[in-house]
Amino acid sequence: MDQILTYFESINPVYGALLAGLFTWILTAFGASSVFLFKGMNRALLDGMLGFTGGVMVAASFWSLLAPGIEMSPGEGFVKVIPAAVGFALGALFIFGLDKILPHLHINFKETEKEGVKTPWRRTTLLVLAITLHNIPEGLAVGVLFGGVAMGMPEATIGGAVALAIGIGIQNFPEGIAVAMPLRRHGVSRFKSFWYGQLSAIVEPIAAVVGALAVTFFTPLLPYALAFAAGAMIFVVVEEVIPETQRDKYTDIATLGFIGGFIVMMTLDVALG
């Protein structure tokens, strides 16, 4: 791990954001590749993994994004928390807007429950778009933190940025499974199921670079940008991830998965950040 941190310290942080985004995408692809090994996925295991995903995202939102954003904000008291509050609200509203516009279908939902503008697009496309929707804030979060490192902000450390990338990558593995397996179950070929599963995360390296470049050029925006990514991720967890885990009888398993994911991400951030 020390060698990894040393390497990331020696390269341009924007390039580091790209590598971190590619890492999270690759782990999604690894998860999606499970369709070549298994015919289906136990629903209890799937709900537990989705719960784990939610726990990682919530922990990352506070430990990796909100807390550093508040620390680096100027002023005291209410003034100090304003950038975080504004950024958090804007991030949630951004995903709220995309959620209302982008046609998509959540993993465990029926086709009659698809969201966004009406479209004749197939279930396959809608499932991929649903996961893509919440991969955008994950990529932004990684990129923004690397951008903070580029600006020399003491609250944004390379260890924290790497920890966030590792946490997002770990929870992307079950996300790849969560896209590919339902597609396979609905008769899509193994290769197409894998292809669509990994494709859902291709936005992460792109969003990571965009996030890093944005705060590099507009340094004062960093506290807002960190909170923006946190707000976007929390919206996704509450609006999408948690409801998906509560539609069957394995709600306790999903809750324990959430707790596990939170602990893993908190541990990574504190230990490496």
Side-chain angles (χ1 to χ4, degrees):
M1 181 58 68
D2 288 340
Q3 292 178 333
I4 294 174
L5 294 179
T6 301
Y7 173 74
F8 273 98
E9 287 172 352
S10 67
I11 62 176
N12 183 290
V14 176
Y15 178 54
L18 174 62
L19 293 180
L22 288 172
F23 168 75
T24 61
W25 165 64
I26 288 171
L27 284 188
T28 306
F30 276 135
S33 69
S34 61
V35 294
F36 295 115
L37 302 174
F38 306 102
K39 202 169 185 179
M41 175 64 64
N42 180 277
R43 179 61 186 268
L45 181 59
L46 179 61
D47 283 349
M49 290 191 299
L50 285 173
F52 181 90
T53 292
V56 169
M57 293 174 73
V58 170
S61 295
F62 175 74
W63 295 98
S64 299
L65 301 170
L66 275 177
I70 292 172
E71 282 182 36
M72 68 180 63
S73 298
E76 297 293 337
F78 287 111
V79 174
K80 190 174 183 64
V81 81
I82 286 175
V86 171
F88 191 86
L90 290 176
L93 289 173
F94 172 70
I95 299 298
F96 172 78
L98 287 181
D99 186 68
K100 295 303 178 186
I101 297 171
L102 186 70
H104 61 284
L105 177 65
H106 299 315
I107 294 168
N108 293 323
F109 284 45
K110 299 176 183 176
E111 197 152 353
T112 54
E113 298 176 280
K114 57 188 177 183
E115 300 178 10
V117 298
K118 292 183 179 180
T119 174
W121 292 350
R122 297 173 61 184
R123 181 185 182 90
T124 302
T125 304
L126 296 174
L127 282 169
V128 173
L129 288 175
I131 297 296
T132 301
L133 183 65
H134 75 74
N135 280 336
I136 293 173
E138 292 172 6
L140 280 175
V142 171
V144 165
L145 209 50
F146 271 95
V149 174
M151 293 298 95
M153 296 288 186
E155 296 85 0
T157 65
I158 198 68
V162 170
L164 178 61
I166 292 173
I168 295 296
I170 290 172
Q171 61 95 34
N172 271 9
F173 182 83
E175 278 187 7
I177 297 174
V179 177
M181 283 299 181
L183 294 179
R184 179 63 182 152
R185 193 167 59 244
H186 283 89
V188 179
S189 71
R190 291 183 189 275
F191 178 76
K192 282 189 175 180
S193 297
F194 163 75
W195 177 256
Y196 288 123
Q198 62 82 31
L199 191 64
S200 66
I202 198 65
V203 296
E204 290 203 11
I206 299 170
V209 171
V210 169
L213 287 174
V215 298
T216 299
F217 286 109
F218 305 101
T219 308
L221 288 179
L222 185 55
Y224 295 90
L226 288 168
F228 181 96
M233 287 210 291
I234 292 296
F235 184 92
V236 165
V237 172
V238 176
E239 198 275 337
E240 179 181 337
V241 177
I242 291 177
E244 287 176 6
T245 67
Q246 304 297 304
R247 296 174 67 84
D248 211 318
K249 58 185 178 181
Y250 304 110
T251 56
D252 287 345
I253 293 175
T255 302
L256 291 174
F258 182 97
I259 298 299
F262 190 99
I263 291 171
V264 167
M265 186 64 237
M266 177 180 65
T267 303
L268 280 171
D269 192 83
V270 173
L272 297 178

